[in-house]
PDB file of all heavy atoms in Angstrom:
ATOM      1  N   ILE A  17      -9.321 -51.360 -32.834  1.00 85.00           N
ATOM      2  CA  ILE A  17     -10.401 -50.413 -33.171  1.00 85.00           C
ATOM      3  C   ILE A  17     -11.734 -50.961 -32.720  1.00 85.00           C
ATOM      4  O   ILE A  17     -12.523 -50.234 -32.093  1.00 85.00           O
ATOM      5  CB  ILE A  17     -10.381 -50.122 -34.675  1.00 85.00           C
ATOM      6  CG1 ILE A  17      -9.164 -49.307 -35.067  1.00 85.00           C
ATOM      7  CG2 ILE A  17     -11.669 -49.415 -35.099  1.00 85.00           C
ATOM      8  CD1 ILE A  17      -8.929 -49.201 -36.565  1.00 85.00           C
ATOM      9  N   ASN A  18     -11.973 -52.239 -32.975  1.00 83.00           N
ATOM     10  CA  ASN A  18     -13.230 -52.859 -32.578  1.00 83.00           C
ATOM     11  C   ASN A  18     -13.379 -52.864 -31.049  1.00 83.00           C
ATOM     12  O   ASN A  18     -14.465 -52.587 -30.508  1.00 83.00           O
ATOM     13  CB  ASN A  18     -13.326 -54.279 -33.099  1.00 83.00           C
ATOM     14  CG  ASN A  18     -13.508 -54.319 -34.594  1.00 83.00           C
ATOM     15  OD1 ASN A  18     -13.919 -53.357 -35.222  1.00 83.00           O
ATOM     16  ND2 ASN A  18     -13.174 -55.464 -35.201  1.00 83.00           N
ATOM     17  N   GLN A  19     -12.280 -53.167 -30.362  1.00 81.00           N
ATOM     18  CA  GLN A  19     -12.286 -53.176 -28.891  1.00 81.00           C
ATOM     19  C   GLN A  19     -12.618 -51.782 -28.346  1.00 81.00           C
ATOM     20  O   GLN A  19     -13.402 -51.625 -27.425  1.00 81.00           O
ATOM     21  CB  GLN A  19     -10.946 -53.654 -28.390  1.00 81.00           C
ATOM     22  CG  GLN A  19     -10.843 -53.800 -26.901  1.00 81.00           C
ATOM     23  CD  GLN A  19      -9.466 -54.241 -26.457  1.00 81.00           C
ATOM     24  OE1 GLN A  19      -8.463 -53.690 -26.930  1.00 81.00           O
ATOM     25  NE2 GLN A  19      -9.429 -55.200 -25.563  1.00 81.00           N
ATOM     26  N   ARG A  20     -11.995 -50.763 -28.919  1.00 82.00           N
ATOM     27  CA  ARG A  20     -12.207 -49.377 -28.478  1.00 82.00           C
ATOM     28  C   ARG A  20     -13.673 -48.968 -28.709  1.00 82.00           C
ATOM     29  O   ARG A  20     -14.299 -48.322 -27.852  1.00 82.00           O
ATOM     30  CB  ARG A  20     -11.274 -48.432 -29.208  1.00 82.00           C
ATOM     31  CG  ARG A  20     -11.335 -47.004 -28.799  1.00 82.00           C
ATOM     32  CD  ARG A  20     -10.684 -46.831 -27.476  1.00 82.00           C
ATOM     33  NE  ARG A  20     -11.663 -46.386 -26.499  1.00 82.00           N
ATOM     34  CZ  ARG A  20     -11.464 -46.291 -25.208  1.00 82.00           C
ATOM     35  NH1 ARG A  20     -10.337 -46.622 -24.690  1.00 82.00           N
ATOM     36  NH2 ARG A  20     -12.421 -45.891 -24.402  1.00 82.00           N
ATOM     37  N   GLU A  21     -14.221 -49.304 -29.874  1.00 84.00           N
ATOM     38  CA  GLU A  21     -15.612 -48.981 -30.162  1.00 84.00           C
ATOM     39  C   GLU A  21     -16.549 -49.660 -29.187  1.00 84.00           C
ATOM     40  O   GLU A  21     -17.524 -49.051 -28.706  1.00 84.00           O
ATOM     41  CB  GLU A  21     -15.967 -49.372 -31.597  1.00 84.00           C
ATOM     42  CG  GLU A  21     -15.356 -48.485 -32.651  1.00 84.00           C
ATOM     43  CD  GLU A  21     -15.604 -48.988 -34.072  1.00 84.00           C
ATOM     44  OE1 GLU A  21     -16.169 -50.082 -34.251  1.00 84.00           O
ATOM     45  OE2 GLU A  21     -15.234 -48.272 -35.008  1.00 84.00           O
ATOM     46  N   SER A  22     -16.271 -50.904 -28.850  1.00 79.00           N
ATOM     47  CA  SER A  22     -17.118 -51.618 -27.908  1.00 79.00           C
ATOM     48  C   SER A  22     -17.044 -50.957 -26.518  1.00 79.00           C
ATOM     49  O   SER A  22     -18.056 -50.792 -25.838  1.00 79.00           O
ATOM     50  CB  SER A  22     -16.644 -53.079 -27.822  1.00 79.00           C
ATOM     51  OG  SER A  22     -17.400 -53.777 -26.882  1.00 79.00           O
ATOM     52  N   LEU A  23     -15.844 -50.622 -26.089  1.00 75.00           N
ATOM     53  CA  LEU A  23     -15.679 -49.964 -24.798  1.00 75.00           C
ATOM     54  C   LEU A  23     -16.349 -48.580 -24.754  1.00 75.00           C
ATOM     55  O   LEU A  23     -16.992 -48.234 -23.771  1.00 75.00           O
ATOM     56  CB  LEU A  23     -14.177 -49.816 -24.486  1.00 75.00           C
ATOM     57  CG  LEU A  23     -13.797 -49.436 -23.081  1.00 75.00           C
ATOM     58  CD1 LEU A  23     -14.377 -50.402 -22.068  1.00 75.00           C
ATOM     59  CD2 LEU A  23     -12.287 -49.358 -22.961  1.00 75.00           C
ATOM     60  N   ASP A  24     -16.248 -47.857 -25.866  1.00 79.00           N
ATOM     61  CA  ASP A  24     -16.929 -46.539 -25.937  1.00 79.00           C
ATOM     62  C   ASP A  24     -18.441 -46.707 -25.811  1.00 79.00           C
ATOM     63  O   ASP A  24     -19.107 -45.906 -25.158  1.00 79.00           O
ATOM     64  CB  ASP A  24     -16.594 -45.839 -27.255  1.00 79.00           C
ATOM     65  CG  ASP A  24     -15.165 -45.304 -27.292  1.00 79.00           C
ATOM     66  OD1 ASP A  24     -14.523 -45.252 -26.199  1.00 79.00           O
ATOM     67  OD2 ASP A  24     -14.663 -44.999 -28.366  1.00 79.00           O
ATOM     68  N   LYS A  25     -18.976 -47.736 -26.411  1.00 77.00           N
ATOM     69  CA  LYS A  25     -20.429 -47.987 -26.321  1.00 77.00           C
ATOM     70  C   LYS A  25     -20.813 -48.315 -24.881  1.00 77.00           C
ATOM     71  O   LYS A  25     -21.831 -47.799 -24.373  1.00 77.00           O
ATOM     72  CB  LYS A  25     -20.864 -49.114 -27.261  1.00 77.00           C
ATOM     73  CG  LYS A  25     -22.341 -49.358 -27.270  1.00 77.00           C
ATOM     74  CD  LYS A  25     -22.765 -50.403 -28.270  1.00 77.00           C
ATOM     75  CE  LYS A  25     -24.271 -50.578 -28.226  1.00 77.00           C
ATOM     76  NZ  LYS A  25     -24.718 -51.597 -29.149  1.00 77.00           N
ATOM     77  N   LEU A  26     -20.028 -49.121 -24.205  1.00 68.00           N
ATOM     78  CA  LEU A  26     -20.301 -49.434 -22.810  1.00 68.00           C
ATOM     79  C   LEU A  26     -20.255 -48.176 -21.952  1.00 68.00           C
ATOM     80  O   LEU A  26     -21.064 -47.974 -21.065  1.00 68.00           O
ATOM     81  CB  LEU A  26     -19.289 -50.444 -22.259  1.00 68.00           C
ATOM     82  CG  LEU A  26     -19.483 -51.884 -22.670  1.00 68.00           C
ATOM     83  CD1 LEU A  26     -18.336 -52.740 -22.132  1.00 68.00           C
ATOM     84  CD2 LEU A  26     -20.801 -52.452 -22.217  1.00 68.00           C
ATOM     85  N   ASP A  27     -19.244 -47.322 -22.236  1.00 69.00           N
ATOM     86  CA  ASP A  27     -19.112 -46.077 -21.466  1.00 69.00           C
ATOM     87  C   ASP A  27     -20.309 -45.154 -21.687  1.00 69.00           C
ATOM     88  O   ASP A  27     -20.823 -44.539 -20.766  1.00 69.00           O
ATOM     89  CB  ASP A  27     -17.822 -45.343 -21.863  1.00 69.00           C
ATOM     90  CG  ASP A  27     -16.584 -45.994 -21.251  1.00 69.00           C
ATOM     91  OD1 ASP A  27     -16.719 -46.795 -20.305  1.00 69.00           O
ATOM     92  OD2 ASP A  27     -15.508 -45.692 -21.741  1.00 69.00           O
ATOM     93  N   LYS A  28     -20.765 -45.069 -22.940  1.00 74.00           N
ATOM     94  CA  LYS A  28     -21.875 -44.167 -23.250  1.00 74.00           C
ATOM     95  C   LYS A  28     -23.134 -44.621 -22.534  1.00 74.00           C
ATOM     96  O   LYS A  28     -23.917 -43.802 -22.058  1.00 74.00           O
ATOM     97  CB  LYS A  28     -22.125 -44.200 -24.779  1.00 74.00           C
ATOM     98  CG  LYS A  28     -23.211 -43.202 -25.215  1.00 74.00           C
ATOM     99  CD  LYS A  28     -23.448 -43.298 -26.709  1.00 74.00           C
ATOM    100  CE  LYS A  28     -22.318 -42.587 -27.413  1.00 74.00           C
ATOM    101  NZ  LYS A  28     -22.504 -42.496 -28.874  1.00 74.00           N
ATOM    102  N   GLU A  29     -23.328 -45.915 -22.405  1.00 74.00           N
ATOM    103  CA  GLU A  29     -24.527 -46.460 -21.746  1.00 74.00           C
ATOM    104  C   GLU A  29     -24.301 -46.666 -20.252  1.00 74.00           C
ATOM    105  O   GLU A  29     -25.158 -47.181 -19.558  1.00 74.00           O
ATOM    106  CB  GLU A  29     -24.920 -47.771 -22.410  1.00 74.00           C
ATOM    107  CG  GLU A  29     -25.287 -47.576 -23.880  1.00 74.00           C
ATOM    108  CD  GLU A  29     -25.460 -48.891 -24.629  1.00 74.00           C
ATOM    109  OE1 GLU A  29     -25.321 -49.958 -24.011  1.00 74.00           O
ATOM    110  OE2 GLU A  29     -25.747 -48.846 -25.836  1.00 74.00           O
ATOM    111  N   ASN A  30     -23.097 -46.323 -19.763  1.00 81.00           N
ATOM    112  CA  ASN A  30     -22.736 -46.434 -18.362  1.00 81.00           C
ATOM    113  C   ASN A  30     -22.773 -47.886 -17.850  1.00 81.00           C
ATOM    114  O   ASN A  30     -22.885 -48.117 -16.656  1.00 81.00           O
ATOM    115  CB  ASN A  30     -23.616 -45.543 -17.483  1.00 81.00           C
ATOM    116  CG  ASN A  30     -22.906 -45.104 -16.227  1.00 81.00           C
ATOM    117  OD1 ASN A  30     -21.668 -45.034 -16.182  1.00 81.00           O
ATOM    118  ND2 ASN A  30     -23.668 -44.827 -15.213  1.00 81.00           N
ATOM    119  N   LYS A  31     -22.678 -48.850 -18.761  1.00 83.00           N
ATOM    120  CA  LYS A  31     -22.790 -50.263 -18.366  1.00 83.00           C
ATOM    121  C   LYS A  31     -21.593 -50.737 -17.565  1.00 83.00           C
ATOM    122  O   LYS A  31     -21.745 -51.589 -16.702  1.00 83.00           O
ATOM    123  CB  LYS A  31     -22.977 -51.134 -19.621  1.00 83.00           C
ATOM    124  CG  LYS A  31     -24.347 -50.966 -20.211  1.00 83.00           C
ATOM    125  CD  LYS A  31     -24.546 -51.926 -21.362  1.00 83.00           C
ATOM    126  CE  LYS A  31     -25.932 -51.764 -21.960  1.00 83.00           C
ATOM    127  NZ  LYS A  31     -26.173 -52.671 -23.060  1.00 83.00           N
ATOM    128  N   ARG A  32     -20.416 -50.171 -17.834  1.00 84.00           N
ATOM    129  CA  ARG A  32     -19.233 -50.574 -17.075  1.00 84.00           C
ATOM    130  C   ARG A  32     -19.444 -50.295 -15.615  1.00 84.00           C
ATOM    131  O   ARG A  32     -19.168 -51.125 -14.737  1.00 84.00           O
ATOM    132  CB  ARG A  32     -17.996 -49.866 -17.580  1.00 84.00           C
ATOM    133  CG  ARG A  32     -17.516 -50.341 -18.924  1.00 84.00           C
ATOM    134  CD  ARG A  32     -16.406 -49.504 -19.473  1.00 84.00           C
ATOM    135  NE  ARG A  32     -15.215 -49.605 -18.644  1.00 84.00           N
ATOM    136  CZ  ARG A  32     -14.195 -48.769 -18.745  1.00 84.00           C
ATOM    137  NH1 ARG A  32     -14.203 -47.796 -19.623  1.00 84.00           N
ATOM    138  NH2 ARG A  32     -13.125 -48.911 -17.973  1.00 84.00           N
ATOM    139  N   GLU A  33     -19.873 -49.072 -15.289  1.00 87.00           N
ATOM    140  CA  GLU A  33     -20.057 -48.714 -13.867  1.00 87.00           C
ATOM    141  C   GLU A  33     -21.179 -49.497 -13.239  1.00 87.00           C
ATOM    142  O   GLU A  33     -21.109 -49.827 -12.068  1.00 87.00           O
ATOM    143  CB  GLU A  33     -20.275 -47.197 -13.759  1.00 87.00           C
ATOM    144  CG  GLU A  33     -19.086 -46.375 -14.173  1.00 87.00           C
ATOM    145  CD  GLU A  33     -17.796 -46.728 -13.455  1.00 87.00           C
ATOM    146  OE1 GLU A  33     -17.818 -46.936 -12.218  1.00 87.00           O
ATOM    147  OE2 GLU A  33     -16.752 -46.865 -14.127  1.00 87.00           O
ATOM    148  N   ILE A  34     -22.231 -49.757 -14.003  1.00 89.00           N
ATOM    149  CA  ILE A  34     -23.328 -50.558 -13.465  1.00 89.00           C
ATOM    150  C   ILE A  34     -22.880 -51.959 -13.117  1.00 89.00           C
ATOM    151  O   ILE A  34     -23.176 -52.461 -12.041  1.00 89.00           O
ATOM    152  CB  ILE A  34     -24.517 -50.579 -14.495  1.00 89.00           C
ATOM    153  CG1 ILE A  34     -25.134 -49.188 -14.588  1.00 89.00           C
ATOM    154  CG2 ILE A  34     -25.560 -51.623 -14.075  1.00 89.00           C
ATOM    155  CD1 ILE A  34     -26.108 -49.040 -15.747  1.00 89.00           C
ATOM    156  N   LEU A  35     -22.106 -52.580 -14.016  1.00 91.00           N
ATOM    157  CA  LEU A  35     -21.593 -53.937 -13.736  1.00 91.00           C
ATOM    158  C   LEU A  35     -20.644 -53.924 -12.553  1.00 91.00           C
ATOM    159  O   LEU A  35     -20.691 -54.826 -11.718  1.00 91.00           O
ATOM    160  CB  LEU A  35     -20.892 -54.495 -14.968  1.00 91.00           C
ATOM    161  CG  LEU A  35     -21.782 -55.147 -15.991  1.00 91.00           C
ATOM    162  CD1 LEU A  35     -20.959 -55.594 -17.199  1.00 91.00           C
ATOM    163  CD2 LEU A  35     -22.516 -56.333 -15.420  1.00 91.00           C
ATOM    164  N   LYS A  36     -19.795 -52.924 -12.450  1.00 92.00           N
ATOM    165  CA  LYS A  36     -18.887 -52.822 -11.291  1.00 92.00           C
ATOM    166  C   LYS A  36     -19.700 -52.748 -10.001  1.00 92.00           C
ATOM    167  O   LYS A  36     -19.389 -53.397  -9.028  1.00 92.00           O
ATOM    168  CB  LYS A  36     -17.980 -51.601 -11.410  1.00 92.00           C
ATOM    169  CG  LYS A  36     -16.872 -51.771 -12.382  1.00 92.00           C
ATOM    170  CD  LYS A  36     -15.994 -50.507 -12.303  1.00 92.00           C
ATOM    171  CE  LYS A  36     -15.092 -50.346 -13.455  1.00 92.00           C
ATOM    172  NZ  LYS A  36     -14.300 -49.126 -13.381  1.00 92.00           N
ATOM    173  N   ALA A  37     -20.738 -51.929 -10.013  1.00 93.00           N
ATOM    174  CA  ALA A  37     -21.583 -51.774  -8.819  1.00 93.00           C
ATOM    175  C   ALA A  37     -22.253 -53.070  -8.469  1.00 93.00           C
ATOM    176  O   ALA A  37     -22.378 -53.431  -7.289  1.00 93.00           O
ATOM    177  CB  ALA A  37     -22.622 -50.678  -9.028  1.00 93.00           C
ATOM    178  N   GLN A  38     -22.694 -53.818  -9.457  1.00 94.00           N
ATOM    179  CA  GLN A  38     -23.357 -55.115  -9.207  1.00 94.00           C
ATOM    180  C   GLN A  38     -22.363 -56.124  -8.623  1.00 94.00           C
ATOM    181  O   GLN A  38     -22.678 -56.841  -7.676  1.00 94.00           O
ATOM    182  CB  GLN A  38     -23.944 -55.658 -10.509  1.00 94.00           C
ATOM    183  CG  GLN A  38     -25.172 -54.884 -10.967  1.00 94.00           C
ATOM    184  CD  GLN A  38     -25.676 -55.350 -12.333  1.00 94.00           C
ATOM    185  OE1 GLN A  38     -24.905 -55.804 -13.176  1.00 94.00           O
ATOM    186  NE2 GLN A  38     -26.968 -55.234 -12.538  1.00 94.00           N
ATOM    187  N   VAL A  39     -21.136 -56.149  -9.136  1.00 96.00           N
ATOM    188  CA  VAL A  39     -20.104 -57.024  -8.600  1.00 96.00           C
ATOM    189  C   VAL A  39     -19.838 -56.689  -7.148  1.00 96.00           C
ATOM    190  O   VAL A  39     -19.773 -57.580  -6.285  1.00 96.00           O
ATOM    191  CB  VAL A  39     -18.801 -56.933  -9.447  1.00 96.00           C
ATOM    192  CG1 VAL A  39     -17.639 -57.627  -8.730  1.00 96.00           C
ATOM    193  CG2 VAL A  39     -19.004 -57.507 -10.823  1.00 96.00           C
ATOM    194  N   LEU A  40     -19.697 -55.398  -6.855  1.00 95.00           N
ATOM    195  CA  LEU A  40     -19.421 -54.983  -5.479  1.00 95.00           C
ATOM    196  C   LEU A  40     -20.584 -55.307  -4.547  1.00 95.00           C
ATOM    197  O   LEU A  40     -20.393 -55.713  -3.408  1.00 95.00           O
ATOM    198  CB  LEU A  40     -19.107 -53.475  -5.440  1.00 95.00           C
ATOM    199  CG  LEU A  40     -17.819 -53.070  -6.127  1.00 95.00           C
ATOM    200  CD1 LEU A  40     -17.704 -51.550  -6.157  1.00 95.00           C
ATOM    201  CD2 LEU A  40     -16.609 -53.687  -5.455  1.00 95.00           C
TER     202      LEU A  40
END
C-alpha cells in the first residue's frame, strides 16, 4: 500500500517521466 501511494504521488507530479528523460 505504501509503495503504491508513493508511486501514485510520483505519477501525479510526473516525476517518473522527468527522471526517465534525465537518464536518457
